Amino acid sequence: MKIREFFAARAPRSRGEALRHGAWFFVFAAALAALISLNYFRQLDIDFSGEGGVYAFCTMFGHFAMWGAVAWIACCLPWALAFPRRPLAACLSVAAGTAGLIVVALDTFVFGLYRFHVYNSFVLDLLFGGGAAGIFTFTAGQIALMAGGALALVGLGLVAWSAARFFASRTGGKALGAVAGTLAVLLVASHMMHAYYSANGSRSVYRIAEVYPGHFPLTANRFLIRRGWVDPEKVREKIKLNAGSSLDYPRAPLVPAEPPTKNVLVIFVDSWNFRTFAPEVMPNVCAFAKNAQVFAEHYSGDHGTRTGVMSFFHGLPGMYFGAIRDGGVSSAFVDVLLKNNYATAVYATAGLSNPPFTRTIFRNVPAESIRDYLAEGVSTAEGDERLADAWLEFTKNHVSVPAAERRPFFGFLFFDELHAMTLPKDAEKKFPTDWENPKYELLGKNTDPTPFFNLYKNDAFWLDRQLGRVFDDLRERGLLENTIVILTGDHGQEFNEDGNNTWGHGSLFSTHQLKVPFVLFDAALPPKTHTHWTSHYDASVTLLQNYLHVGNAPSDYSVGKNLFDETPREWLLVGHPEQWGVIERDRITHVRLGDYEIFDRDYRYLPDAKLNVPVFRAAVEQSKEFFR
């Protein structure tokens, strides 16, 4: 029987039956997709007991039912209404449903191999484009298996259509409504469970949520914390108890060849535009840098805070963020400090529980050593000032202990004023502007950035004084000689420098959103400005190798190299799972959900550019090499 005759013989007799027929078909297709999706978990160690199993059940059926409803609206509804007795709606519905099943099946296969989903043009190009053989390689047996599976799914689609006809002709709208209502309840339950259990540190819920393609689950961490339904400290302890990870990180124990004795102080400035690293804007910082190592071409691992900070402490790209968060994976660098009895002071203006740094980077740091200073009614500037005060109190207590009895210390200070721009009214306004706060509603492609940037520079000038207090205190207490100080930013901040109407951060992988100042002070090294390309991935390598005496190869715990290694870097993988990019010397490949584009370094679109196959083979490998 020909396909047309197959559908014509089963054509509905009315619009109502046509709509029910299509709806039942997509219900069956969604159920089949949900069952196929179990293949995502075959290589993942996930606990399905307790909330994990309930959440997985709700999500697998609710999520694919949602996409089934979208497909019914797009491929069945208009045609069934217009041509109820013709096979057009049937053909489109079965084609869409079967194609969906094939895509889900292919996606589970590719995800198991590469931890990528195939629903965007970037991965499709790698799979089927001209460079496919250079990146994704499949054996003849695998190709035959996929072809056979595709044919089987086509057959299942036809069986589902016949079954849908049976149900549509023998049931009314109430039965279909009951099924649709049940699936809607499962979808809502999935999102509500994710909001609650992810905030409460459920590793299984985290990991299950990340598996499904096109899934953007609800989160409400701050809402739940504010109402007392989540206790961040209890969550932190829960993650410690339930620690486990899909990562092989570090790949081997990191053991110093000799006990480290250098103090380490890491200072982060949130949203730091590198153009303010100038004597007229930040005189104290620049005076300090004159006696330090300055890395003039330094890039964060992302244009956002969570993975920008992670790239520094874990030495891994943001593609690993989900696994680090879900497994409560601490920083190997910080763990070495703790195992060597370092005193710790982790101070931030904004809280460190969201993004989940207390659950990951600083998971093993004593809770009493972690503080934040942005309380209700306190401006960010006041919080930064209190942070500096707290650090000065820490060093005061440190030097009050006899030198022979002192433990080396590790400090992390995270200043937030350049992100919030809450300049005190009595602060000196060195750079002329009539803006007293950011006026985001006025920003556009033709907006003069000068008033906004001058406001930002005034904030930087104010923050420079707080940083100067930290540097002066170290000097006055005699701590600089034995303290390694790193000053940098979590990411950059753009002021439409490239003329693309881009402001702030988190949108593009442009130079101004990724490049940050990077200063390393070591009293034993003569001052020098380095111009080779460096990255946050290199920071933990340098600290572990040069100052903590760890002899492991960097590949045991990082994708970076030593900051002082001037071997040319040809590319850099940046971003996070939802949006990432590969930075090359002359261009940027920006991968978003659903698409990718190639730009020059000024973010001018290059319509004829092709993927650089060797580079992307290496980038794909780097994005999965630390998974078990």
Side-chain angles (χ1 to χ4, degrees), residues 491-557:
H491 53 76
Q493 185 80 347
E494 189 161 4
F495 290 87
N496 199 25
E497 283 91 344
D498 293 329
N500 295 315
N501 193 25
T502 47
W503 307 80
H505 58 272
S507 55
L508 304 179
F509 297 114
S510 62
T511 298
H512 292 88
Q513 293 191 40
L514 288 175
K515 183 177 175 181
V516 288
F518 194 96
V519 177
L520 185 152
F521 177 85
D522 176 357
L525 297 177
K528 183 177 180 180
T529 296
H530 304 265
T531 58
H532 61 284
W533 192 3
T534 58
S535 165
H536 271 7
Y537 305 134
D538 308 333
S540 61
V541 175
T542 306
L543 289 166
L544 286 166
Q545 286 186 338
N546 295 18
Y547 303 110
L548 301 182
H549 315 305
V550 169
N552 296 62
S555 57
D556 278 351
Y557 54 87

Side-chain angles (χ1 to χ4, degrees), residues 232-316:
E233 290 306 317
K234 288 184 178 179
V235 171
R236 191 165 178 259
E237 291 304 313
K238 179 180 178 180
I239 289 175
K240 281 186 179 181
L241 292 173
N242 297 330
S245 173
S246 58
L247 295 184
D248 185 17
Y249 170 89
R251 288 174 168 154
L254 307 185
V255 181
E258 58 185 89
T261 57
K262 290 281 189 181
N263 304 315
V264 178
L265 174 60
V266 175
I267 305 173
F268 264 58
V269 173
D270 198 341
S271 307
W272 195 3
N273 183 292
F274 65 84
R275 291 196 290 147
T276 62
F277 183 49
E280 66 274 14
V281 184
M282 306 186 80
N284 290 301
V285 165
C286 290
F288 182 75
K290 282 184 178 179
N291 298 305
Q293 310 299 303
V294 176
F295 295 86
E297 288 296 323
H298 187 89
Y299 287 69
S300 173
D302 196 9
H303 54 203
T305 295
R306 61 176 189 172
T307 35
V309 176
M310 190 198 79
S311 66
F312 180 100
F313 281 99
H314 282 88
L316 299 179

